Each structure stands twice: as structure tokens, then as C-alpha cells.
Amino acid sequence: MKNNIAIAYFLAFAKNTWFWLGIWIFYYLRFTNYAGIGIIETVLIITMTLTEIPTGAVADLLGKKKTLIIAFLLEAIGAFMMAFAPNFQTIVFAVFVMCVGGAFYSGTLDALVFDSLKQDGDEKKFDKVISNISSISLIAPAVCSIIGGLVYGIDPRLPFILNAVGYTLGFVLSFFLTEPKIDTIKFSFNNYLNQTGQGLKQLFKSYEVKWQTILLLSIGFITVISSEMVDSFVSFEFGFIDKQMGILWSVIFIISALASQSTSY
């Protein structure tokens, strides 16, 4: 299953070809204002939150290879929609489609890697492989961010077109994966419904737990909003231009990529 590991590295890069990383705020402001961006990001956060568990079950029902194919297909469709969006409503829908695709991807690649390593008796290598995938996932936007900042001046759609091409490459590469014969999670749909219901009850089983749940969700939402919106808003208000934003985010992600190598430890 070593072939799966090699492909997983390429998929991690393709998933994070975020050429738009430094310029998305400039692109969005062509269609709306800060309030509109707030709506877009709200759709992003809610979609990611609500689809994370249901899409995770799909990976166990259909298999991890098929799930990754679906993930990259949706991401590619959403990215192309974003690139050629004629209005604000299309951008919102494109974000929704990409978020659903991202939810299909989330956790699936890690599970595929673990099952592939376990089938070969190399599961001890999992931590290191995941560290490498994390670094690649951060190096990709670091490189793409600079390129996106440069090509945005040529055509504002180019960063999103290049991102869509990256997702399309991931879609094609996913067909070359081999579904592991070992499945670390034995799944039935009835058990899934039952366990999900029990899990939801546990989140609100008492007054204290209910407020702990609300507190933790609130912290998560605030953190995501800060990283997804406020940082770029502040940079924009400070007068950073598209090329400078691309470099700024590239530096941030390069530092993160180096730090991620310590995650295996």
C-alpha cells in the first residue's frame, strides 16, 4: 500500500492549492462589503460544522477512495463556480459546495493512510507520515499564496481557476488509490444513527454540560472567525496590496509548516 502513501502526499498538496489565500478579500469586495463577507463566512462555518459528522459516515459506507473522489469533485466544482461567479449569491453557493467537499475530505485521508500502513504492518510510521502530510498541507498554500498574489493583477479570476485545477488534479489522482482491505472502523448505518443520537444527548445531558458545550462551541467559532476574517480585514485596512498579502500569508504558512514537523513527537 506504499502507493497510497505517495499519492496521499500529492493529494494533501492538491487539497491546499489556495492560490486565493492572500487575495480573497479583494475578490469578495468586488461583489459585496464586509457585511456580505460576514454572511459568506457564516455559511462556511455552519456548513463545515453541520456536515463534518454525516460526511464522515460516508467514508465508512462507500469506502475512503470513493469519498475522496467525491470530495475533490465537489471542491473543483465549487472553485470553478467561484472563479466565474457573476454575483454574490453564486459566491455563497460556491463556498457551500466547497465546504461540503472539504467535509468529505476531512479525516478521510488520515484514515486511508492509517489503514494502508496497518495493512503493511507499518502503522508505527503513521505519526511521521501525518507530520509530513501536515507540512505539505502548509507548504502548498505558502507557495500558492505568492503565485496567487502575482497573477491576481493579471486577472482576478486566475487564483481561483488555478485552485480549481489543483482540485481537479486531486480528483484524477484519487482514482489511482487502492482501497485498503483492512478497515479499522466496522460500521453499520443503524449503529451510526444510534450512536450519533446518544452522543448528542450526552452534549446536553445536564445543565452544566450544556453550558460547557455552548462555551466550547463559542470559543471555536470565535477562533475560526478571527483566523478566517479579522486577520485579512486588518491587513486590508492597513493598506496591504494583493502581492504583499500573498507574501505575508506565505511567511505565516512556512513557519507553520516547519513547526508541524514536531507533531509526530
Side-chain angles (χ1 to χ4, degrees):
M1 306 298 288
K2 293 181 180 179
N3 183 57
N4 278 1
I5 306 304
I7 294 175
Y9 288 149
F10 284 104
L11 292 180
F13 190 94
K15 174 64 176 69
N16 294 279
T17 51
W18 298 343
F19 291 91
W20 44 260
L21 183 61
I23 56 82
W24 67 268
I25 187 170
F26 299 98
Y27 189 75
Y28 283 4
L29 288 174
R30 294 166 61 91
F31 298 90
T32 184
N33 51 26
Y34 283 166
I37 293 177
I39 294 174
I40 295 171
E41 296 300 308
T42 299
V43 170
L44 180 149
I45 294 169
I46 292 176
T47 304
M48 289 174 59
T49 302
L50 295 182
T51 58
E52 187 68 30
I53 294 177
T55 52
V58 173
D60 297 316
L61 284 169
L62 297 182
K64 298 165 184 65
K65 175 180 177 178
K66 291 180 180 177
T67 303
L68 287 170
I69 290 173
I70 294 171
F72 279 104
L73 176 61
L74 290 174
E75 293 267 31
I77 291 172
F80 276 117
M81 289 174 59
M82 180 70 74
F84 298 100
N87 51 45
F88 172 75
Q89 290 80 3
T90 304
I91 288 181
V92 173
F93 186 64
V95 168
F96 170 77
V97 173
M98 284 191 287
C99 284
V100 175
F104 276 111
Y105 176 90
S106 177
T108 303
L109 188 68
D110 294 356
L112 175 86
V113 167
F114 183 81
D115 288 350
S116 299
L117 289 171
K118 186 169 184 176
Q119 184 165 316
D120 291 340
D122 290 331
E123 58 265 38
K124 291 182 179 179
K125 296 179 180 179
F126 178 72
D127 289 346
K128 183 58 180 174
V129 172
I130 289 300
S131 291
N132 293 338
I133 287 176
S134 296
S135 293
I136 292 171
S137 299
L138 293 165
I139 291 171
V143 174
C144 295
S145 176
I146 294 178
I147 297 173
L150 294 173
V151 302
Y152 181 79
I154 300 173
D155 188 329
R157 297 173 298 179
L158 277 176
F160 297 94
I161 292 174
L162 291 174
N163 179 218
V165 171
Y167 289 147
T168 302
L169 176 62
F171 171 71
V172 174
L173 288 174
S174 296
F175 283 94
F176 293 92
L177 291 168
T178 302
E179 187 71 32
K181 294 180 181 178
I182 292 178
D183 192 344
T184 53
I185 300 175
K186 301 302 180 184
F187 179 84
S188 75
F189 191 69
N190 288 333
N191 285 341
Y192 163 72
L193 291 177
N194 182 45
Q195 292 176 13
T196 300
Q198 291 181 15
L200 291 173
K201 289 179 181 179
Q202 290 297 315
L203 292 175
F204 302 96
K205 67 178 182 180
S206 68
Y207 180 83
E208 291 77 12
V209 172
K210 179 181 72 173
W211 283 106
Q212 288 176 6
T213 300
I214 293 173
L215 175 63
L216 290 172
L217 284 173
S218 299
I219 293 172
F221 283 139
I222 292 170
T223 302
V224 171
I225 290 171
S226 175
S227 62
E228 290 284 341
M229 296 172 55
V230 178
D231 292 345
S232 293
F233 286 176
V234 171
S235 300
F236 179 78
E237 291 295 335
F238 278 177
F240 281 80
I241 62 174
D242 45 14
K243 296 179 181 61
Q244 292 171 333
M245 290 276 270
I247 295 172
L248 173 64
W249 281 104
S250 177
V251 171
I252 292 171
F253 273 77
I254 288 173
I255 294 172
S256 300
L258 293 174
S260 70
Q261 279 299 302
S262 65
T263 55
S264 60
Y265 173 77

